[in-house]
Amino acid sequence: MKMTDLKMNATENVEIASNIPFDPAGLQQTAIISDELRNILELCMRVVLIVTGFMGVITNIINIRVFVEQGVRNDSTGIGFVFLSVTDLLGCAMVIPSASCFVARFTENGPANYQICTAYATITIFIHTALNNMSTWTTVYISLMRCLCVLFPLKVKSIFTPTVTIIVIVLIIIIFSIAQTMYSGFTTLVWGFNPKYNTTVAYIKDSPMAQLVLHYHQIITNQTLPILALIIVTINTVLLTQKLIEVKKWRLKNSSDSAKDGKENSSNPSKNVLSAKDIEMIKFINTTTSIFLVCVLMGFIPGIAVTVFPDVSFTGLNRNFFLVSFLSRFMFNSINSSINFFFYIRVSSRFKSAFASSFNSCSKPS
């Protein structure tokens, strides 16, 4: 699994793998974030993770039901949105165990119990990371598919068939499952005595090979691919927005001319290319990708922190900042995966209609 995030995720979520001596007093005097502030921020963000995690599970179950109600068998976009909702649902579910571990801090011998809990919950963070990458590139595919279908409808609509979409989804699953499992294959969960807590705790132990995999995985999966995804989605969003503005301006002008001439000019190609359904789909896609762009940009906070500030690492002086920055990444991942439903139902009349139809049928007596 993408243990890259583990170490940075597990790393972030846990105080586990470190047997390196560390001076809490010195940390509080010189670190960017003190232990006290870290605990406050961590508690707040983990509460948000729990809330958005449960909310994401519920909203994405609704999303899946509504998309299926709309019919996805012959609709490539619908298939893409169903898979996106599935990955978002599972991704939200996977952050709940790790986020809930903070409760262990309030038990007897809390710090040690928290470390043990987060060590075991690391597997869910691995899965969450893989699912988040699948969600990211499914969003990229949907955005690219709709952009090309709008700009070149006669040339590419026959390319993005349901079969092609399923093949792309399978490839996304395979690629990111392999990427996430490579690192974990060189790591183990072990128990050892921790003098800081004066008890035996669980922690993640990795090998030199795992560190090598982590290095390249961080460069490729956590930096290069997200930047590429952002570029593609941004370009698609800008092009679709420009097309929407162009059509709106033409229709406004045509409406004004029609009022004067008593007839409507239907020769504009933009009108013929974009139906009302197309325009609504552009708004729908743009809303989804805009949320995606904001949350993915916030996901770069850990990378920026590691680059800009000194000793920001799992065992460095600013390890508290390291933990908080990676928690913020998971928090925005979870937010991105849990709020789409509210924008879907606001922007898409088709989604709203299918939602009403689906849940009204559930309430009717059999």
Side-chain angles (χ1 to χ4, degrees), residues 118-138:
T118 51
Y120 277 102
T122 293
I123 184 63
T124 64
I125 294 301
F126 289 153
I127 298 173
H128 166 82
T129 303
L131 290 165
N132 184 65
N133 284 323
M134 294 176 196
S135 175
T136 294
W137 282 93
T138 302

Side-chain angles (χ1 to χ4, degrees), residues 21-71:
F22 143 110
D23 177 12
L27 177 64
Q28 292 196 29
Q29 290 173 5
T30 60
I32 298 173
I33 296 179
S34 67
D35 284 346
E36 291 78 6
L37 179 57
R38 167 204 158 166
N39 287 337
I40 294 172
L41 294 174
E42 185 181 4
L43 175 59
C44 293
M45 284 190 282
R46 289 188 186 278
V47 169
V48 172
L49 279 169
I50 292 173
V51 172
T52 55
F54 280 109
M55 184 171 73
V57 170
I58 296 170
T59 57
N60 282 293
I61 289 174
I62 297 173
N63 290 343
I64 293 169
R65 180 175 179 83
V66 172
F67 287 130
V68 171
E69 176 75 16
Q70 290 178 336

Side-chain angles (χ1 to χ4, degrees), residues 21 29 59 96-97 110 146 154 164 177 198 223 232 274 290 294:
Q29 290 173 5
T59 57
I96 295 173
R146 294 311 307 175
L154 301 180
V164 169
S177 294
N198 194 32
Q223 296 177 9
I232 295 173
L274 291 183
S290 295
V294 171

Side-chain angles (χ1 to χ4, degrees), residues 229-302:
L230 280 173
I231 292 173
I232 295 173
V233 171
T234 300
I235 292 173
N236 293 339
T237 303
V238 169
L239 291 175
L240 286 173
T241 302
Q242 288 179 338
K243 188 70 174 178
L244 184 61
I245 292 173
E246 173 191 335
V247 173
K248 283 186 173 181
K249 285 182 176 179
W250 181 86
R251 288 187 172 178
L252 182 62
K253 181 178 181 299
N254 185 73
S255 176
S256 176
D257 291 343
S258 298
K260 294 178 181 179
D261 302 338
K263 60 181 180 180
E264 182 176 357
N265 180 6
S266 61
S267 62
N268 184 277
S270 296
K271 181 184 177 184
N272 296 329
V273 170
L274 291 183
S275 64
K277 181 180 177 181
D278 288 327
I279 293 174
E280 184 174 275
M281 182 57 71
I282 291 176
K283 294 179 180 178
F284 191 64
I285 299 293
N286 280 3
T287 299
T288 303
T289 54
S290 295
I291 301 168
F292 165 81
L293 288 172
V294 171
C295 293
V296 171
L297 281 171
M298 297 305 295
F300 283 105
I301 290 177

